Amino acid sequence: MTISEKRHQLECYPGKTVCPDDFLDHWKTSVEQMGRVQVRREPVPSANSGALYERLHITTAQGEEITARYLRPAQGDGPYPTLLMYHDLGRGMRGWHHMTRFVGIGYAVVALENRMDPLLLPEQMEEETLERCELDALAAAKAALCLPETDSDRLAVWGEGFGGGLAIVVAALLPQTVHCTALHPMPTELPEGWSYLDVEVFAEHLRGPLLLGTALMDEVATPWGQYACVHRANGPKRHLVYPKYGHERINAFEDEHLKQLNLWSQKHSG
């Protein structure tokens, strides 16, 4: 199949995972339990005078502890537009220096440190493991909303691969409008019975803007499921396709992400 033929088929693909009738009711309790999330802040020394760094120790609604990196502008008290970051499996989270680029355009950043085996693939997970990861992502979002420096009306989520899937999960379940960016999100097209955890189904409940990037040579996150996410999203959406890339970081997409963050922030503040 040529690239043109594949793209033609993908453009018509609606996805195969059926959204359960009680999907939102299924997740309602988990969203309500986020009110029990507690946050302890630990300063992280840095020589950078333009940003303040902290580690967040988050107690989830289930009584477990997860951690996240937190950065914000050194000037002013906020509230700041805030970006939630979720990283992929198989690679470490972005470094403090990389995340400071978002502080440079006025954002605070909360980046979840996944507590799972980085070599584990979604298809190798037990159902409860995947659900726990999605609950952790929600807990990190709630922790960000608990911080007085967070502007809850200017919330964005961003993730790559598995983290892109978590970004869509959070954007779909939070009550406020969230701006979502995801690069080759997964998992989609899950086994029968896992539809409550399928990112393709969460995408159906997106209301805010979506920027999604797909690499057509991706052999880890199926492009079919990614196209389905775009087709099923209900808010404004923009889909960037990279025919010659696989499951990897794409600098051109990250440039578009930065531009989009600036536009989102300026549109709201203006």
Side-chain angles (χ1 to χ4, degrees), residues 55-85:
R55 178 163 277 103
L56 304 181
H57 298 267
I58 304 164
T59 302
T60 71
Q62 293 73 36
E64 300 174 312
E65 182 175 294
I66 57 176
T67 58
R69 297 179 182 181
Y70 180 53
L71 304 77
R72 61 184 172 90
Q75 304 299 321
D77 299 320
Y80 307 104
T82 299
L83 175 66
L84 305 172
M85 287 185 65

Coordinates of all heavy atoms in Angstrom, one line a residue, residues 55-85:
R55 N 9.5 19.7 43.6 CA 9.0 18.3 43.4 C 7.7 18.2 44.3 O 7.7 18.6 45.4 CB 10.0 17.3 43.9 CG 9.5 15.9 43.7 CD 10.6 14.8 43.7 NE 11.2 14.7 42.4 CZ 12.3 15.1 42.1 NH1 13.1 15.8 42.9 NH2 12.8 15.0 40.8
L56 N 6.7 17.8 43.6 CA 5.4 17.6 44.3 C 5.3 16.1 44.7 O 5.4 15.2 43.9 CB 4.2 17.9 43.3 CG 4.3 19.3 42.7 CD1 3.0 19.5 41.8 CD2 4.3 20.4 43.7
H57 N 5.0 15.9 46.0 CA 4.7 14.6 46.5 C 3.1 14.5 46.7 O 2.5 15.3 47.5 CB 5.4 14.4 47.9 CG 6.9 14.5 47.8 ND1 7.6 13.4 47.6 CD2 7.7 15.5 47.8 CE1 8.9 13.7 47.5 NE2 9.0 15.0 47.7
I58 N 2.5 13.7 45.9 CA 1.1 13.7 45.7 C 0.5 12.4 46.3 O 0.9 11.3 46.0 CB 0.7 13.8 44.3 CG1 1.3 15.0 43.6 CG2 -0.8 13.7 44.1 CD1 1.3 15.0 42.1
T59 N -0.4 12.5 47.3 CA -1.1 11.4 47.8 C -2.4 11.2 47.1 O -3.2 12.1 47.1 CB -1.4 11.6 49.3 OG1 -0.1 11.8 50.0 CG2 -2.1 10.3 49.9
T60 N -2.6 10.1 46.4 CA -3.7 9.9 45.5 C -5.0 9.6 46.4 O -4.9 9.3 47.6 CB -3.5 8.7 44.6 OG1 -3.5 7.5 45.3 CG2 -2.2 8.9 43.8
A61 N -6.1 9.5 45.7 CA -7.3 9.2 46.4 C -7.3 7.7 47.0 O -8.0 7.4 47.9 CB -8.5 9.3 45.5
Q62 N -6.4 6.9 46.4 CA -6.2 5.5 46.8 C -5.2 5.4 48.0 O -4.9 4.3 48.4 CB -5.8 4.6 45.7 CG -6.9 4.5 44.6 CD -7.0 5.7 43.7 OE1 -6.1 6.4 43.4 NE2 -8.3 6.0 43.3
G63 N -4.7 6.6 48.4 CA -3.7 6.6 49.5 C -2.3 6.3 49.1 O -1.4 6.0 50.0
E64 N -2.0 6.2 47.8 CA -0.6 6.0 47.4 C 0.1 7.3 47.0 O -0.6 8.3 46.8 CB -0.7 5.0 46.2 CG -1.4 3.7 46.5 CD -1.6 2.9 45.2 OE1 -2.0 3.4 44.2 OE2 -1.2 1.7 45.3
E65 N 1.4 7.2 47.0 CA 2.2 8.4 46.7 C 2.8 8.4 45.3 O 3.4 7.4 44.9 CB 3.3 8.7 47.7 CG 4.1 10.0 47.4 CD 5.1 10.4 48.4 OE1 4.7 10.7 49.5 OE2 6.3 10.4 48.0
I66 N 2.6 9.4 44.5 CA 3.2 9.6 43.3 C 4.0 11.0 43.3 O 3.7 11.8 44.2 CB 2.3 9.6 42.1 CG1 1.2 10.7 42.3 CG2 1.6 8.2 41.9 CD1 0.2 10.8 41.1
T67 N 4.9 11.2 42.4 CA 5.6 12.5 42.4 C 5.5 13.1 41.0 O 5.3 12.5 40.0 CB 7.1 12.2 42.8 OG1 7.7 11.3 41.8 CG2 7.2 11.7 44.2
A68 N 5.8 14.4 41.0 CA 5.7 15.2 39.8 C 6.7 16.3 39.9 O 7.0 16.8 41.0 CB 4.4 15.7 39.5
R69 N 7.3 16.7 38.8 CA 8.1 17.9 38.8 C 7.3 19.2 38.5 O 6.3 19.1 37.7 CB 9.2 17.8 37.7 CG 10.1 16.6 37.9 CD 11.1 16.5 36.8 NE 12.0 15.3 37.0 CZ 13.0 15.0 36.2 NH1 13.3 15.7 35.1 NH2 13.7 13.9 36.5
Y70 N 7.6 20.3 39.2 CA 6.8 21.5 39.1 C 7.7 22.6 38.8 O 8.7 22.9 39.5 CB 6.0 21.7 40.3 CG 5.2 23.0 40.3 CD1 4.3 23.2 39.3 CD2 5.2 23.9 41.3 CE1 3.5 24.4 39.2 CE2 4.5 25.1 41.3 CZ 3.6 25.3 40.2 OH 2.8 26.4 40.2
L71 N 7.4 23.4 37.8 CA 8.2 24.6 37.4 C 7.2 25.7 37.2 O 6.1 25.5 36.7 CB 9.0 24.4 36.1 CG 10.0 23.3 35.9 CD1 9.3 21.9 35.7 CD2 10.9 23.6 34.7
R72 N 7.7 26.9 37.6 CA 6.8 28.1 37.3 C 7.7 29.3 37.2 O 8.9 29.3 37.6 CB 5.8 28.3 38.5 CG 6.4 28.6 39.8 CD 5.3 28.6 40.9 NE 5.8 28.7 42.2 CZ 6.1 29.8 42.9 NH1 6.0 31.0 42.3 NH2 6.6 29.7 44.1
P73 N 7.2 30.4 36.6 CA 8.0 31.6 36.4 C 8.5 32.2 37.8 O 7.7 32.1 38.8 CB 7.1 32.6 35.7 CG 6.2 31.7 35.0 CD 5.9 30.5 35.9
A74 N 9.7 32.7 37.9 CA 10.2 33.2 39.1 C 9.6 34.6 39.5 O 9.5 35.0 40.6 CB 11.7 33.3 39.1
Q75 N 9.1 35.3 38.5 CA 8.5 36.6 38.7 C 7.0 36.5 38.8 O 6.3 35.8 38.1 CB 8.9 37.5 37.5 CG 10.4 37.6 37.2 CD 11.1 38.2 38.4 OE1 10.6 39.1 39.1 NE2 12.3 37.7 38.6
G76 N 6.5 37.2 39.8 CA 5.1 37.3 40.0 C 4.5 36.1 40.8 O 5.3 35.1 41.1
D77 N 3.3 36.2 41.2 CA 2.7 35.1 42.0 C 1.6 34.3 41.3 O 0.9 33.5 41.8 CB 2.0 35.8 43.2 CG 3.0 36.5 44.1 OD1 4.1 36.0 44.3 OD2 2.6 37.6 44.6
G78 N 1.4 34.6 40.0 CA 0.4 33.9 39.2 C -0.9 34.6 39.4 O -1.0 35.7 39.9
P79 N -2.0 33.9 39.0 CA -2.0 32.5 38.5 C -1.5 32.5 37.1 O -1.6 33.4 36.3 CB -3.4 32.1 38.6 CG -4.2 33.3 38.5 CD -3.4 34.4 39.1
Y80 N -0.8 31.3 36.7 CA -0.2 31.1 35.4 C -1.0 30.1 34.6 O -1.6 29.1 35.2 CB 1.2 30.6 35.6 CG 2.1 31.4 36.5 CD1 2.4 31.0 37.8 CD2 2.6 32.6 36.0 CE1 3.2 31.8 38.6 CE2 3.4 33.4 36.9 CZ 3.7 33.0 38.2 OH 4.5 33.7 39.0
P81 N -1.1 30.2 33.3 CA -1.5 29.1 32.5 C -0.6 27.9 32.8 O 0.6 28.1 33.0 CB -1.4 29.6 31.1 CG -0.4 30.7 31.1 CD -0.6 31.3 32.5
T82 N -1.2 26.7 32.9 CA -0.5 25.6 33.4 C -0.5 24.4 32.4 O -1.6 24.1 31.9 CB -1.0 25.1 34.8 OG1 -0.8 26.2 35.7 CG2 -0.2 23.9 35.3
L83 N 0.6 23.8 32.2 CA 0.8 22.7 31.3 C 1.0 21.4 32.1 O 2.0 21.3 32.9 CB 1.9 22.9 30.3 CG 2.3 21.8 29.4 CD1 1.1 21.6 28.4 CD2 3.6 22.1 28.6
L84 N 0.2 20.4 31.9 CA 0.4 19.1 32.5 C 1.1 18.2 31.4 O 0.7 18.1 30.3 CB -0.9 18.4 32.8 CG -1.9 19.2 33.8 CD1 -3.2 18.6 33.9 CD2 -1.2 19.3 35.1
M85 N 2.2 17.6 31.9 CA 3.0 16.8 30.9 C 3.0 15.3 31.3 O 3.2 15.0 32.5 CB 4.5 17.3 30.9 CG 4.7 18.6 30.2 SD 6.4 19.1 30.1 CE 7.1 17.7 29.0

